[in-house]
Amino acid sequence: MPLFSLIYGTNRPGGFDLLIESLKNQPRDLYELIVVDNYPGRLERSVVQDYILRNNIPLRAYTHPIIPGAGLKTGMARSFNTGVVYSTTDHIVILNDYCWLPPGWAYQWNQTIQNAQANSMITATASLRMASPPIEDGDITIWPNTPLWWNIGPEIELYTPKYFETFHSYF
């Protein structure tokens, strides 16, 4: 059984290349991935689920932000609550979309969880990354041929995504 559940909520195009590339080298026995996706039609196309499974990521669930019997409201809170319903662990890590997790990230969380007191909450911000503006509205990527996290070198202009801040939280 995994130690913690990763809940990844999104309603925007792309971003799965960042997530999957950063999870590929994390120890799979430490986590399960729960994707709560409200981007129109992506769940039904199954492209992302296939991509996740092809990369051997322990996918627990891939669903819309709907809790059975709780109505049709959506939004980030509903996404997180939906993810918790699918979780099989006592430890939850909520990820924003377009979030890249550095090497060793799961080991660090494992150590933090082992050392933390019960009923604690820890929040961490993601590191700043430079990126070119998105090119397309793809299911997996919005930066064709190269995931965003590879574009870390010097650039003429820093692309700043609008209306969201990348972060992850542990409960």
Side-chain angles (χ1 to χ4, degrees), residues 39-51:
Y39 186 70
R42 185 164 44 201
L43 180 73
E44 293 74 20
R45 288 189 289 275
S46 300
V47 174
V48 173
Q49 298 96 306
D50 295 343
Y51 175 68

Side-chain angles (χ1 to χ4, degrees), residues 2-152:
L3 178 63
F4 56 90
S5 301
L6 304 179
I7 299 174
Y8 182 81
T10 185
N11 67 350
R12 291 185 267 267
F16 283 96
D17 53 342
L18 298 173
L19 177 67
I20 300 311
E21 288 298 318
S22 62
L23 287 176
K24 278 183 4 184
N25 296 317
Q26 306 290 341
R28 290 166 180 82
D29 60 329
L30 288 181
Y31 70 92
E32 63 184 7
L33 176 62
I34 300 160
V35 177
V36 184
D37 193 346
N38 204 34
Y39 186 70
R42 185 164 44 201
L43 180 73
E44 293 74 20
R45 288 189 289 275
S46 300
V47 174
V48 173
Q49 298 96 306
D50 295 343
Y51 175 68
I52 292 169
L53 295 172
R54 225 180 18 254
N55 282 283
N56 298 315
I57 303 301
L59 181 63
R60 167 80 176 119
Y62 192 104
T63 185
H64 285 298
I66 301 297
I67 299 173
L72 298 176
K73 292 182 180 178
T74 59
M76 291 309 287
R78 180 55 54 99
S79 291
F80 299 151
N81 288 335
T82 300
V84 170
V85 167
Y86 283 96
S87 173
T88 64
T89 73
D90 292 331
H91 305 283
I92 307 293
V93 177
I94 295 174
L95 302 172
N96 248 14
D97 51 4
Y98 303 130
C99 190
W100 177 79
L101 308 171
W105 177 87
Y107 287 117
Q108 292 170 347
W109 273 111
N110 180 36
Q111 180 146 14
T112 301
I113 290 169
Q114 300 306 319
N115 295 332
Q117 299 296 318
N119 301 319
S120 62
M121 183 188 96
I122 303 151
T123 300
T125 57
S127 57
L128 177 65
R129 298 288 172 197
M130 293 194 307
S132 304
I135 297 169
E136 65 181 31
D137 288 345
D139 280 345
I140 294 172
T141 184
I142 55 178
W143 292 277
N145 304 320
T146 308
L148 163 72
W149 65 274
W150 287 348
N151 295 335
I152 299 176

